[in-house]
Amino acid sequence: MGGKRRIAILGSTGSIGTQALDVIRQHRDLFEVQLISANTSIDLLESQAREFDVNNVVICDDKLYGELSSRLSGTDSKVFAGTDSLCELVRSSEIDIVVGAMVGFSGLRPTLAALEAGKVVALANKETLVAAGSLVTKTMREHNAVILPVDSEHSAIFQCLLAAQGNEVKKIHLTASGGPFRSWPKEKIAAATAAQALKHPNWDMGAKVTIDSATMMNKGFELIEACWLFDLTPEMVNVVVHPESIIHSMVEFEDGAVIAQMGCPDMREPIGFALSFPARLSVGNKKLDFASLGALHFEAPDPERFPNLQLAREAFTRGGNIPCALNAANEVAVRAFLAGRIGFYGITDLIEKCISGASFAADPSAGDIFSTHEDTMRRAEELI
Ligand code: MG
């Protein structure tokens, strides 16, 4: 890619989207923003369109189209509405890198469209790989597209693998912060409120991933994501709780050597690496001070208090469309927990019921994936 890299950000008003724009803001000479999109946050979308002089702006909720297009009239930005427009625009030859920063299953269709157009996709939307890993990786290979990980753990694994020199990977050590309830007894966790679960000790993220982090479903999803991205079996992925979130993950080789990637927890670092790969950029983050850190701690995850991790591992081992059902049930369960409709372990109960009731498709087509998602969402709502 000569000249400026031309970027599309799907989900530009969320946590990853705003941090991606912050990296770009610091390097306007290297990047230009061609496309941004949001579900409903038109105030922020409007100001991003103006600041970055973005050509194409997509509001997914079409009820807001009129308002946004009148606000941006008189600028160079063209406004579009709906996910279909997004899927069309993302294929443009004016785009080099697509940042997939949408939340949940809604990111799947635009991600597939970008891959079909052979784009480099900087993927933060792990749910697309959880729900449709086989379809997504197959589409990537067929169209010579590339997925670069943005999730901090997977960016870390990717960086460690650059040192592999063709040697086989023995194991991945996927680190987990343990979330806000790491040291809480089970009874106290059972009574936890959404507000308590939303207080993540280390990472500043959106609500969905923060709740997933508290239940450790996030780590289960990341295990599945790692298997698809790096062609691993689930047995090769060891999850280790590391409360400081300084080591972002590790790769172990045949001789027992372990390579770790470290940094202060700040998503701008993996985002910057994906945008500028293989170059490294300054991103305005805090740097590590080992002497003041003093010590790093590690412990095994507790399956009694955090059963969702095992649930995800089992779903991936069963394979087919079962991880898709897992993801759909989790989306409904997290929303219900945030709304105070179910308790913390109600999330696990709901997912278990939905998975055991799902009809199995061993090699799901795109149609199977979308119908599994819809059916499971409906079933989960009924069960609540
Ligand atoms: Mg992560």
Side-chain angles (χ1 to χ4, degrees), residues 291-314:
S292 72
L293 268 176
L296 298 177
H297 298 86
F298 304 93
E299 61 197 48
D302 178 358
E304 272 296 308
R305 292 181 301 137
F306 302 101
N308 285 13
L309 175 58
Q310 189 54 25
L311 214 53
R313 198 183 269 276
E314 283 164 13

Side-chain angles (χ1 to χ4, degrees), residues 206-369:
K208 163 74 167 49
V209 63
T210 306
I211 300 300
D212 285 343
S213 215
T215 65
M216 289 195 78
M217 182 57 93
N218 183 54
K219 213 46 59 176
F221 282 178
E222 289 181 354
L223 181 155
I224 297 173
E225 185 185 6
C227 289
W228 285 117
L229 285 174
F230 306 112
D231 200 15
L232 308 167
T233 62
E235 296 74 34
M236 292 165 79
V237 183
N238 171 51
V239 174
V240 59
V241 175
H242 163 46
E244 292 90 357
S245 298
I246 296 297
I247 296 181
H248 298 150
S249 277
M250 305 174 258
V251 176
E252 182 177 325
F253 294 96
E254 189 63 45
D255 57 0
V258 176
I259 310 243
Q261 190 268 340
M262 295 184 236
C264 291
D266 185 325
M267 285 308 295
R268 291 175 302 174
E269 184 232 286
I271 294 167
F273 192 60
L275 291 180
S276 63
F277 177 78
R280 290 182 182 274
L281 300 176
S282 62
V283 293
N285 56 351
K286 209 172 124 210
K287 304 302 186 291
L288 280 179
D289 175 353
F290 287 97
S292 72
L293 268 176
L296 298 177
H297 298 86
F298 304 93
E299 61 197 48
D302 178 358
E304 272 296 308
R305 292 181 301 137
F306 302 101
N308 285 13
L309 175 58
Q310 189 54 25
L311 214 53
R313 198 183 269 276
E314 283 164 13
F316 184 66
T317 305
R318 282 181 64 194
N321 61 335
I322 300 302
C324 176
L326 171 88
N327 176 66
N330 184 62
E331 282 194 20
V332 175
V334 168
R335 223 182 293 146
F337 174 72
L338 283 169
R341 294 169 68 202
I342 60 173
F344 191 79
Y345 288 118
I347 299 176
T348 308
D349 291 343
L350 189 65
I351 297 168
E352 271 178 337
K353 285 193 186 113
C354 288
I355 290 183
S356 62
S359 58
F360 185 65
D363 185 18
S365 63
D368 294 333
I369 292 292

Side-chain angles (χ1 to χ4, degrees), residues 95-173:
I95 293 169
D96 302 310
I97 302 178
V98 176
V99 180
M102 295 168 82
V103 178
F105 188 83
S106 64
L108 179 60
R109 280 183 56 222
T111 302
L112 287 172
L115 293 171
E116 281 165 12
K119 302 296 179 196
V120 173
V121 176
L123 190 64
N125 175 222
K126 67 192 86 188
E127 290 91 341
T128 61
L129 280 171
V130 172
S134 157
L135 180 67
V136 168
T137 51
K138 197 169 85 191
T139 307
M140 174 189 78
R141 283 192 302 271
E142 276 173 10
H143 299 275
N144 289 318
V146 173
I147 297 178
L148 291 176
V150 167
D151 212 347
S152 61
E153 293 78 1
H154 304 77
S155 174
I157 295 165
F158 176 60
Q159 293 180 55
C160 295
L161 288 174
L162 297 175
Q165 299 282 343
N167 286 290
E168 214 176 287
V169 170
K170 201 72 195 158
K171 211 177 235 180
I172 299 286
H173 300 280

